[in-house]
Amino acid sequence: MRISVAVKHFLLVGAAALALTACTASPPPPPAAAPPSMPAMSSMAAPPSSPVAANATANSVAIKDFAFAPAATTVKKGTTVTWTNSDQDAHTVTSTGSGGPLRSPTLQTGQSYSYTFTTPGTFEYLCTIHPFMTATVTVTP
């Protein structure tokens, strides 16, 4: 019996997800103690950034291990987002439904696709070769 490449990838991703679920059942390790700080160095430390601010400027998405990372990206209107394929298999970046703006060619390993978002909204997309690969870009004004 011959199994298609897409089915093999689907089974591998499912097995990996089960393995990760099993790994997360144990309690997390205790946090490491913070190193002592030097008074002279404290004024040189950069202020912490908030997760929202860091995500608001994200403009690159990795295609790796049959997933888009991050799976949810938030950018401001006018931002160009670039997807880069780091997998050995080919992938696409294609809007779900009809009429969406994302329509990449087939991206081979190392190839990239960029799109500049000019309209606020939430844009869902997938890989047409591996439709289980889905993600979103949210564009704010």
Side-chain angles (χ1 to χ4, degrees), residues 12-61:
L12 287 173
V13 170
L18 286 175
L20 287 175
T21 301
C23 290
T24 59
S26 61
S37 63
M38 296 174 44
M41 297 298 286
S42 64
S43 64
M44 296 175 60
S49 62
S50 70
V52 173
N55 193 26
T57 60
N59 64 353
S60 63
V61 176

Side-chain angles (χ1 to χ4, degrees), residues 2-126:
R2 187 174 166 105
I3 297 176
S4 72
V5 173
V7 171
K8 286 181 185 177
H9 291 302
F10 181 78
L11 293 174
L12 287 173
V13 170
L18 286 175
L20 287 175
T21 301
C23 290
T24 59
S26 61
S37 63
M38 296 174 44
M41 297 298 286
S42 64
S43 64
M44 296 175 60
S49 62
S50 70
V52 173
N55 193 26
T57 60
N59 64 353
S60 63
V61 176
I63 305 171
K64 186 172 170 101
D65 299 326
F66 292 90
F68 295 105
T73 303
T74 301
V75 297
K76 291 191 178 292
K77 176 180 159 184
T79 300
T80 300
V81 176
T82 300
W83 291 262
T84 302
N85 183 7
S86 298
D87 270 339
Q88 293 301 313
D89 286 45
H91 295 290
T92 69
V93 178
T94 308
S95 292
T96 58
S98 61
L102 302 174
R103 291 183 195 95
S104 78
T106 299
L107 302 174
Q108 301 300 326
T109 303
Q111 291 183 319
S112 296
Y113 168 72
S114 296
Y115 181 81
T116 301
F117 290 90
T118 58
T119 306
T122 298
F123 300 87
E124 297 178 357
Y125 63 93
L126 55 77

Side-chain angles (χ1 to χ4, degrees), residues 56 58 110 136:
T136 61

Side-chain angles (χ1 to χ4, degrees), residues 116-141:
T116 301
F117 290 90
T118 58
T119 306
T122 298
F123 300 87
E124 297 178 357
Y125 63 93
L126 55 77
C127 170
T128 56
I129 302 167
H130 310 99
F132 59 88
M133 294 173 56
T134 62
T136 61
V137 174
T138 301
V139 181
T140 61

